[in-house]
Amino acid sequence: MIRGLGCDLCAISRMEKIMADGRFLHRYFTEGERAYIAARARGAQTAAGIFAAKEALVKALGTGFGSLAPADVEITHDTSGAPAYLINEKTRSALQARGAQSAFLSVTHDGDYAMATAILEG
């Protein structure tokens, strides 16, 4: 059963501007995410997708970034590049509070935008 649905849209050009401030990257992205972004040729596009994925999850949870900080939500990628949520203890607690056991993620890019959709299943 679906327990939550969230989506978010992020402008890549906006991400390019705010990435110039290194504090932003350290505040919103985990160490693993920062390394993944740095390794990509189009870092701002990647960062925008990851940021949208984080926002989509907290929207699906119905909490916003109240109970979870942006760095509490971590996005990983498999060997083919498919994104997924890394469910840590804090994220698992938030999912359980919503009656969910799993979180599914899809990210897409087009032109100047990255969009992510999160589906919570329980």
Side-chain angles (χ1 to χ4, degrees), residues 20-108:
D21 180 356
R23 293 175 298 175
F24 172 80
L25 288 172
H26 282 84
R27 181 174 177 210
Y28 284 91
F29 299 95
T30 66
E31 184 177 336
E33 291 167 339
R34 290 191 306 270
Y36 186 80
I37 292 165
R40 307 292 291 181
R42 299 182 70 188
Q45 177 180 330
T46 301
I50 292 172
F51 187 80
K54 292 171 181 265
E55 288 276 355
L57 180 66
V58 297
K59 288 176 180 179
L61 290 168
T63 62
F65 283 116
S67 62
L68 294 173
D72 291 329
V73 178
E74 186 163 1
I75 311 306
T76 61
H77 297 82
D78 69 15
T79 56
S80 67
Y85 291 108
L86 178 64
I87 306 298
N88 60 25
E89 188 175 323
K90 202 166 186 183
T91 306
R92 186 173 319 286
S93 293
L95 288 171
Q96 290 172 343
R98 184 69 180 204
Q101 296 175 350
S102 305
F104 298 93
L105 171 62
S106 179
V107 178
T108 190

